[in-house]
Amino acid sequence: MKKAKVYDTEKELWLAFREGDRNAFAQLFESYSDAMYAYGRKITADTELVKDTIQDVFVKLYHNRRNLGETQSLKGYLLVALKRTLINHFNASSPVLLSMDEMNAGAYADNRPFEIELSVQAVCESEEVDAEEENRRKLAAVLQELTPRQREAIYLYYIQEIPLIEIPDMLGMNYQSTRNLLHRAMSKLRQCITSSSLSMSAFLLQYLST
């Protein structure tokens, strides 16, 4: 039996998918569906809706594959597709009076919560337990002070590692506004790591769940 080809780069994978390679389609789903599920669960607690929406996104992508263009970040592209599909579902379920410009700018999405949970990690030494609890307490308090959009920006940039240039489209904002939003959120978060030797990225990866 012939072994399925594994594509080593996003560019190769995306091109093969657009050309109709079923192995590429399977690899695309396997590589990014978990990240899509984690992101969708931050937007809604309805797990079945998230799963169904992920399936819908991939089915639509496959049917429209020949009309798709190139993309800088596959993960970013797929997360945008997931969010937009979820928002379309919410708008259809609970219509709101928004102009097309407002919908394109993410006005409806901005009114929705975006929750980030703290991860649970086992610590053996009692002193480490105290330090962990203090860090978790501070981080939880600061996260509550952030707006949903700030939490989403932090999550996308630090946890999902989406390039900054891709995030504006996901938040419905321009590039400079996104940079300012992320900067303000980071300024608040820095108070959590004053006593830590970790970088901002390492600190958040240690305590925030995917």
Side-chain angles (χ1 to χ4, degrees), residues 187-207:
S187 295
K188 290 185 178 181
L189 286 168
R190 282 197 181 94
Q191 63 187 277
C192 297
I193 65 172
T194 53
S195 60
S196 173
S197 60
L198 298 175
S199 66
M200 173 80 77
S201 181
F203 183 86
L204 293 176
L205 285 171
Q206 179 178 347
Y207 290 104

Side-chain angles (χ1 to χ4, degrees), residues 166-197:
E166 298 281 329
I167 296 178
D169 193 33
M170 305 178 75
L171 299 182
M173 302 171 66
N174 63 44
Y175 180 77
Q176 188 58 51
S177 296
T178 301
R179 284 197 63 178
N180 294 341
L181 179 85
L182 191 58
H183 176 73
R184 288 193 295 270
M186 288 167 59
S187 295
K188 290 185 178 181
L189 286 168
R190 282 197 181 94
Q191 63 187 277
C192 297
I193 65 172
T194 53
S195 60
S196 173
S197 60

Side-chain angles (χ1 to χ4, degrees), residues 8-176:
D8 297 322
T9 69
E10 286 191 347
K11 185 174 182 180
E12 291 177 334
L13 176 60
W14 188 239
L15 178 61
F17 165 70
R18 289 161 57 200
E19 292 177 347
D21 187 325
R22 290 186 175 273
N23 290 330
F25 178 65
Q27 185 178 336
L28 196 67
F29 184 87
E30 184 69 23
S31 298
Y32 298 104
S33 58
D34 285 348
M36 293 171 72
Y37 179 77
Y39 182 50
R41 287 285 287 109
K42 302 293 186 292
I43 298 171
T44 175
D46 190 335
T47 57
E48 292 306 313
L49 174 61
V50 174
K51 292 176 183 177
D52 290 344
T53 304
I54 292 171
Q55 295 284 348
D56 290 344
V57 167
F58 277 102
V59 168
K60 290 176 182 176
L61 284 177
Y62 189 79
H63 287 316
N64 296 316
R65 64 191 181 279
R66 299 193 184 281
N67 298 319
L68 300 175
E70 296 183 0
T71 179
Q72 296 296 318
S73 167
L74 277 183
K75 184 190 283 189
Y77 182 89
L78 292 171
L79 295 186
V80 168
L82 174 68
K83 182 175 181 179
R84 286 179 175 170
T85 307
L86 283 171
I87 290 173
N88 288 338
H89 171 83
F90 298 142
N91 285 337
S93 301
S94 304
V96 289
L97 299 177
L98 291 179
S99 68
M100 185 60 67
D101 287 341
E102 288 174 320
M103 290 180 68
N104 289 338
Y108 183 79
D110 192 45
N111 293 327
R112 299 193 63 82
F114 191 91
E115 301 301 333
I116 302 178
E117 301 82 17
L118 300 185
S119 60
V120 178
Q121 297 192 5
V123 181
C124 299
E125 299 294 331
S126 60
E127 293 149 1
E128 291 179 349
V129 169
D130 292 339
E132 290 272 310
E133 284 303 312
E134 179 64 13
N135 286 336
R136 288 170 61 83
R137 184 190 64 77
K138 288 181 179 179
L139 183 56
V142 173
L143 286 173
Q144 287 302 309
E145 294 177 5
L146 301 181
T147 67
R149 194 171 271 186
Q150 285 177 321
R151 286 195 290 270
E152 186 171 3
I154 288 292
Y155 175 80
L156 291 170
Y157 188 69
Y158 285 107
I159 306 304
Q160 291 290 0
E161 299 181 319
I162 301 298
L164 181 58
I165 197 170
E166 298 281 329
I167 296 178
D169 193 33
M170 305 178 75
L171 299 182
M173 302 171 66
N174 63 44
Y175 180 77
Q176 188 58 51

